[in-house]
Amino acid sequence: MDSLVYNIPLSMVAAYRGRRLIVRAHNPAEVPESLTGEDLQGVACLQVVSSDVDLHPLMRWGAGVPLDLVVQEPERDLPMLYHWSPLLDSHPVRITVPVVSGFSKVAKLAAALNFAVKLHADQPDPARVAEMLSLLHAYLHETTMSQPIEYFQSMFLAFYREDTVTLWSIQEEDPAFIRYLGADGKERLARGEGMAKLGDDPASFVPELKRELESREAMCSRCEFFHHCVGYFQVPHGGYDCKEIKAVFRTLKEAADELRGDLASFPARGREGL
């Protein structure tokens, strides 16, 4: 089987049968008829990209298939989390929320209801970064946060393990691992249907972006977090000022360093099994 994962619309399932899939659907009522039997074996995740729809058809379907419910308008959709919570009885469920006004309330409530959470933030403004920092503080220190919030979770682990996993990979946007197909069937970056098509070798997108930023000695290449970010916040538009967003990375790194130091100070016998 192809090692790549393909993020495709529900209408393309037949054409990609036998491959590992993330399937995007707008209408959950169409899913039980379109994904059955053999197709389900290849589905890594069903992504519901409309939040003002009836999810009851999924409560009786495909037990165990991971669901990714994409919030469109956080302030409007916040109460819907309570209606979605019964899905947890039969599915792993993640809530993806855009970093716009009201997103932190959705993230906190989702985590309290035992949903995993993913933040979708391309180029957040200073006010939204401040809200991210408040959410990050709660995530690191409040006991109600028992579920992972990405990209906080994976980046914290990367700093703790001194691993160079990139934000592109964490956010499931690196074409070397996940290929996103638009409604027209063309491979694009996963930022949305409006993003430009990729070149002849999609897998080289992130390495080429890294080389470009390094070659012109862009501010990114001198950033302490460059090898984790790799220009993530310079897409879709170059020139984004990363001064504020660096505080999120710095807070994560400091927390990871603190934990590593605390564990190193334990007697060797006390560290066994950690």
Side-chain angles (χ1 to χ4, degrees):
M1 180 180 287
D2 194 334
S3 60
L4 289 169
V5 177
Y6 293 83
N7 187 320
I8 65 170
L10 181 63
S11 61
M12 296 183 187
V13 168
Y16 281 80
R17 186 167 288 131
R19 301 182 184 183
R20 196 72 173 148
L21 304 176
I22 296 172
V23 178
R24 303 192 307 276
H26 287 275
N27 183 3
E30 298 176 351
V31 172
E33 296 180 359
S34 302
L35 286 177
T36 59
E38 180 183 348
D39 291 331
L40 280 177
Q41 298 177 15
V43 176
C45 176
L46 173 68
Q47 193 174 63
V48 181
V49 294
S50 296
S51 53
D52 56 345
V53 293
D54 182 8
L55 294 177
H56 280 86
L58 301 182
M59 295 180 186
R60 302 182 298 273
W61 166 85
V65 175
L67 303 179
D68 183 16
L69 308 181
V70 183
V71 169
Q72 300 297 325
E73 298 181 29
E75 292 183 343
R76 179 199 70 186
D77 296 338
L78 178 67
M80 296 302 298
L81 295 174
Y82 294 104
H83 297 288
W84 297 346
S85 60
L87 287 165
L88 290 166
D89 293 336
S90 53
H91 302 269
V93 184
R94 182 178 73 183
I95 305 298
T96 293
V97 57
V99 175
V100 297
S101 180
F103 81 91
S104 63
K105 293 180 181 178
V106 170
K108 288 180 179 179
L109 178 59
L113 292 173
N114 286 322
F115 292 110
V117 177
K118 176 186 173 187
L119 303 180
H120 181 72
D122 296 341
Q123 296 177 316
D125 61 33
R128 299 289 80 77
V129 175
E131 196 173 348
M132 288 179 71
L133 283 167
S134 177
L135 176 62
L136 176 56
H137 183 273
Y139 180 67
L140 291 172
H141 303 291
E142 293 183 10
T143 57
T144 55
M145 295 289 183
S146 60
Q147 294 297 317
I149 295 180
E150 296 292 7
Y151 52 88
F152 296 165
Q153 173 82 358
S154 291
M155 194 56 68
F156 172 84
L157 291 174
F159 287 134
Y160 175 75
R161 297 168 178 166
E162 300 181 315
D163 185 6
T164 54
V165 62
T166 72
L167 195 54
W168 291 98
S169 177
I170 291 170
Q171 293 295 87
E172 302 164 12
E173 296 182 43
D174 189 338
F177 307 105
I178 297 181
R179 299 289 170 82
Y180 181 97
L181 281 82
D184 58 1
K186 304 297 184 181
E187 292 185 358
R188 304 174 182 273
L189 282 180
R191 297 289 175 94
E193 296 292 311
M195 295 300 294
K197 289 182 287 186
L198 297 173
D200 294 334
D201 182 13
S204 69
F205 173 80
V206 173
E208 287 182 0
L209 177 61
K210 182 178 181 181
R211 283 193 292 270
E212 177 189 348
L213 293 170
E214 289 175 327
S215 67
R216 57 187 172 93
E217 296 185 355
M219 181 171 60
C220 284
S221 66
R222 300 188 296 274
C223 174
E224 61 186 304
F225 304 115
F226 178 61
H227 294 290
H228 290 98
C229 174
V230 196
Y232 183 85
F233 295 104
Q234 297 305 308
V235 177
H237 309 294
Y240 175 77
D241 187 348
C242 295
K243 178 182 177 181
E244 304 293 338
I245 198 67
K246 284 181 185 179
V248 174
F249 285 80
R250 195 168 293 114
T251 300
L252 285 164
K253 187 176 186 304
E254 289 172 355
D257 290 345
E258 182 179 354
L259 176 60
R260 191 186 310 107
D262 289 345
L263 291 177
S265 68
F266 288 172
R269 184 182 299 275
R271 293 201 305 270
E272 292 178 2
L274 292 177

